[in-house]
Amino acid sequence: MEILSVRIDAALKRRLEVLAEAMTKTKSWISAEAVRQFVEHNEWQVQAILEGIKSADNMRYIAHAAIQERWYLGQNAEDSQQQGAIVFADEKIQAPTEKTRYVGG
């Protein structure tokens, strides 16, 4: 395990202490879990953006309608391997799993 120090305001620290006591967990455990969940939730999106930028730099684009069809409506795709994927020629940027997929406007 590595050590990570963060600065938080007093009110948030108190909320963390109350939560830790109620859950019978340490503040450190709750903080590490929060960071893990944040990274897991956001990592796929950052990777997809970086891959999209790389594709754009190589003059490889995909139409907005195709993105909508494959990304958001891909849940009805016949090929479950391609479900929710955006395909750029020989590359594939995989959509998030059901666990991490963002739902909302």
Side-chain angles (χ1 to χ4, degrees), residues 39-51:
V39 169
E40 187 173 292
H41 180 77
N42 291 282
E43 189 173 43
W44 72 266
Q45 185 177 23
V46 171
Q47 185 61 37
I49 290 168
L50 294 175
E51 290 181 24

Side-chain angles (χ1 to χ4, degrees), residues 28-60:
S28 180
W29 184 91
I30 292 172
S31 299
E33 180 63 14
V35 169
R36 186 195 62 75
Q37 287 182 24
F38 179 88
V39 169
E40 187 173 292
H41 180 77
N42 291 282
E43 189 173 43
W44 72 266
Q45 185 177 23
V46 171
Q47 185 61 37
I49 290 168
L50 294 175
E51 290 181 24
I53 290 169
K54 180 181 173 184
S55 291
D57 287 345
N58 292 324
M59 304 300 288
R60 296 170 69 216

Side-chain angles (χ1 to χ4, degrees), residues 61-75 77 82-89 93 95:
Y61 302 97
I62 187 167
H64 186 259
I67 292 172
Q68 287 181 313
E69 181 180 330
R70 292 184 181 214
W71 191 280
Y72 300 109
L73 305 177
Q75 56 196 331
Q82 294 297 316
Q83 182 176 338
I86 300 173
V87 178
F88 293 91
I93 299 174

